[in-house]
Amino acid sequence: MTASRTIPLAPSASVHEHAWITESVHLTSDGRVRYVRCAGCSVRRVDVDTAALLPPAALTREIG
Ligand SMILES: [Zn+2]
């Protein structure tokens, strides 16, 4: 007789959808630079808003 085993899917911090909150915003000649931090895992990132109609683009990789 064999027991069936299932492996639970462990949640990983690296796959969750970051909930970015803005810590500070600075106006520069390239646009509006925004320092953001994830409320869930505290990873930080720097975004730049190049145009008002476009979503923010990541200027850096995720740090932390
Ligand atoms: Zn996160």
Side-chain angles (χ1 to χ4, degrees), residues 9-21:
L9 294 173
S12 170
S14 63
V15 294
H16 89 128
E17 188 168 350
H18 296 301
W20 298 116
I21 54 174

Side-chain angles (χ1 to χ4, degrees), residues 9-58:
L9 294 173
S12 170
S14 63
V15 294
H16 89 128
E17 188 168 350
H18 296 301
W20 298 116
I21 54 174
T22 301
E23 292 195 311
S24 61
V25 179
H26 303 276
L27 289 173
T28 72
S29 58
D30 292 329
R32 191 165 50 178
V33 175
R34 188 190 301 272
Y35 292 78
V36 296
R37 178 173 59 85
C38 174
C41 67
S42 296
V43 165
R44 286 187 164 84
R45 200 175 74 179
V46 180
D47 290 354
V48 60
D49 298 344
T50 53
L53 297 177
L54 295 174

